[in-house]
Amino acid sequence: MLNGFAAYGMWGLFPLFFPLLKPAGAMEVLAHRMVWSFAVVAVVLLAVRRWRWIGKLVRQPRRLGLVAVAAAVIAVNWSVYIWAVNNDRVVEASLGYFINPLVTIAMGVLLLKERLRPAQWAAVGVGAAAVVVLTVGYGRPPWISLVLAFSFATYGLVKKKVNLGGLESLAAETAIQFLPALGYLVWLGAQDRSTFVSEGAGHTALLAATGVVTAVPLICFGAAAIRVPLSTLGLLQYLAPVFQFLLGVVWFHEAMPPERWAGFALVWLALALLTWDALRTARRAAKALRESAATAAAVPAGVEPSGAGAVAAGADLEGVGVQGGEEASGVRLDVRP
């Protein structure tokens, strides 16, 4: 739990970190984040001696291609997030991570042909209404929120197909990003537009620290993900956008007119529906498993269970098993602003 709080807490405090990197622009910060993240992850992999997966990945062109897609999509996500934070759009950025579970569910229906329960349909509908209200409130679509939500939902979908661990996935993605990012930084230096060495040692250290800032929350998240129940982790994920929203309103004093509050209220209502449905489904699944285990324990060895009780237990498991786990919670485990 402490690892989970640490991971989402650090992600929630990102809006306090990126403004410290000014006058570096969003693209320069992004490039440094890619380069230094790869350096940090390479050191960690060297320390734990986890290299075997690299050979397998290189021998699978389709899987490697999916990693490249994931690297490109998360680069879009990172760049838009950094730009938003440094241009006083923290509240709109937080909205992107609030609506991300709803977008993920919608993509599951459209692309993976997943079936939704009525409460999930209601949550998606309320979320769509919230986007309409916010569009009226902003006078334009909340494009920062939508880009962040859709890019991260796409990232989660691709990573589901790749099926790599958190540390390995970050290593593979930043390895793909490394040379283009390094090339861009070299080009900035040649154009005398780099801030890496021109703004003092403190600025240089902060840019180099982007690698640690990226890797440490992910490591904490990985430690939590294998020990904390998925339903609990799904609730913890809302800490990051809550912190970001509060920072935007209280610390950065961003405007929140009534129509914007109305849009956020609808989003929070949708998330409440989603969370209630996920917890209810998790309880049903746990009850069905307990009943199945009790039935199996009551049957003598060598005798197969039969009759209405066995059929009911099997039906319960079938009814909740498909909807349980990741899809039921409406979250993806790789939550990385």
Side-chain angles (χ1 to χ4, degrees), residues 3-12 221 233 236-237 239-240 243 333 335:
N3 276 302
F5 277 112
Y8 288 110
M10 283 184 276
W11 282 324
F221 173 79
L233 206 62
L236 285 178
Q237 78 153 343
L239 283 177
F243 284 177
L333 290 186
V335 184

Side-chain angles (χ1 to χ4, degrees), residues 115 120 131 154 277 280 317:
R115 291 180 298 171
Q120 291 175 312
V131 172
T154 303
D277 182 70
R280 183 185 63 168
L317 284 173

Side-chain angles (χ1 to χ4, degrees), residues 294-321:
T295 302
V299 175
V303 178
E304 292 188 5
S306 59
V311 173
D316 285 346
L317 284 173
E318 182 180 0
V320 299

Side-chain angles (χ1 to χ4, degrees), residues 196-286:
F196 185 60
V197 295
S198 62
E199 300 295 324
H203 182 73
T204 300
L206 283 172
L207 285 174
T210 54
V212 175
V213 167
T214 299
V216 170
L218 184 66
I219 293 171
C220 291
F221 173 79
I226 61 176
R227 296 176 176 88
V228 176
L230 185 62
S231 57
T232 304
L233 206 62
L235 293 175
L236 285 178
Q237 78 153 343
Y238 296 125
L239 283 177
V242 165
F243 284 177
Q244 293 166 18
F245 175 80
L246 291 176
L247 285 173
V249 174
V250 178
W251 185 264
F252 295 104
H253 305 291
E254 295 185 15
M256 283 293 293
E259 59 272 19
R260 203 168 295 175
W261 279 112
F264 269 86
L266 286 173
V267 170
W268 294 331
L269 173 60
L271 294 178
L273 282 171
L274 205 60
T275 302
W276 168 77
D277 182 70
L279 292 175
R280 183 185 63 168
T281 303
R283 284 195 296 268
R284 286 181 175 177

Side-chain angles (χ1 to χ4, degrees), residues 88-112:
D88 302 320
R89 304 285 184 85
V90 175
V91 169
E92 194 172 346
S94 74
L95 176 63
Y97 292 104
F98 276 126
I99 67 176
N100 175 65
L102 301 172
V103 173
T104 299
I105 287 177
M107 290 181 68
V109 172
L110 295 174
L111 300 179
L112 303 180

Side-chain angles (χ1 to χ4, degrees), residues 1-319:
M1 285 293 288
L2 289 177
N3 276 302
F5 277 112
Y8 288 110
M10 283 184 276
W11 282 324
L13 296 176
F14 269 13
L16 295 178
F17 175 73
F18 288 116
L20 301 177
L21 305 179
K22 294 180 179 179
M27 293 305 296
E28 182 179 3
V29 174
L30 174 66
H32 276 288
R33 190 176 184 184
M34 292 172 174
V35 168
W36 294 108
S37 295
F38 176 69
V40 170
V41 174
V43 170
V44 173
L45 286 175
L46 185 63
V48 299
R49 298 181 179 181
R50 277 160 58 177
W51 299 104
R52 292 184 179 180
W53 59 272
I54 297 176
K56 294 180 181 179
L57 181 62
V58 171
R59 290 192 296 271
Q60 297 175 305
R62 181 180 177 276
R63 202 174 179 205
L64 191 59
L66 288 174
V67 172
V69 172
V73 172
I74 199 62
V76 171
N77 184 275
W78 285 357
S79 61
V80 171
Y81 183 82
I82 294 167
W83 183 91
V85 168
N86 285 352
N87 286 272
D88 302 320
R89 304 285 184 85
V90 175
V91 169
E92 194 172 346
S94 74
L95 176 63
Y97 292 104
F98 276 126
I99 67 176
N100 175 65
L102 301 172
V103 173
T104 299
I105 287 177
M107 290 181 68
V109 172
L110 295 174
L111 300 179
L112 303 180
K113 308 302 180 184
E114 295 175 358
R115 291 180 298 171
L116 298 187
R117 296 180 295 275
Q120 291 175 312
W121 277 116
V124 172
V126 172
V131 172
V132 174
V133 171
L134 288 165
T135 297
V136 174
Y138 279 105
R140 57 171 175 78
W143 69 268
I144 291 174
S145 307
L146 294 174
V147 170
L148 289 175
F150 276 91
S151 61
F152 204 78
T154 303
Y155 178 72
L157 178 65
V158 174
K159 284 177 69 67
K160 185 179 178 69
K161 298 291 185 182
V162 174
N163 194 26
L164 268 180
L167 186 61
E168 292 85 352
S169 178
L170 181 61
E173 292 157 20
T174 52
I176 290 172
Q177 296 167 344
F178 178 77
L179 286 180
L182 184 62
Y184 177 74
L185 292 177
V186 170
W187 178 81
L188 275 184
Q191 297 291 316
D192 199 26
R193 293 168 54 189
S194 172
T195 66
F196 185 60
V197 295
S198 62
E199 300 295 324
H203 182 73
T204 300
L206 283 172
L207 285 174
T210 54
V212 175
V213 167
T214 299
V216 170
L218 184 66
I219 293 171
C220 291
F221 173 79
I226 61 176
R227 296 176 176 88
V228 176
L230 185 62
S231 57
T232 304
L233 206 62
L235 293 175
L236 285 178
Q237 78 153 343
Y238 296 125
L239 283 177
V242 165
F243 284 177
Q244 293 166 18
F245 175 80
L246 291 176
L247 285 173
V249 174
V250 178
W251 185 264
F252 295 104
H253 305 291
E254 295 185 15
M256 283 293 293
E259 59 272 19
R260 203 168 295 175
W261 279 112
F264 269 86
L266 286 173
V267 170
W268 294 331
L269 173 60
L271 294 178
L273 282 171
L274 205 60
T275 302
W276 168 77
D277 182 70
L279 292 175
R280 183 185 63 168
T281 303
R283 284 195 296 268
R284 286 181 175 177
K287 181 181 178 181
L289 288 173
R290 286 196 300 269
E291 290 176 354
S292 176
T295 302
V299 175
V303 178
E304 292 188 5
S306 59
V311 173
D316 285 346
L317 284 173
E318 182 180 0

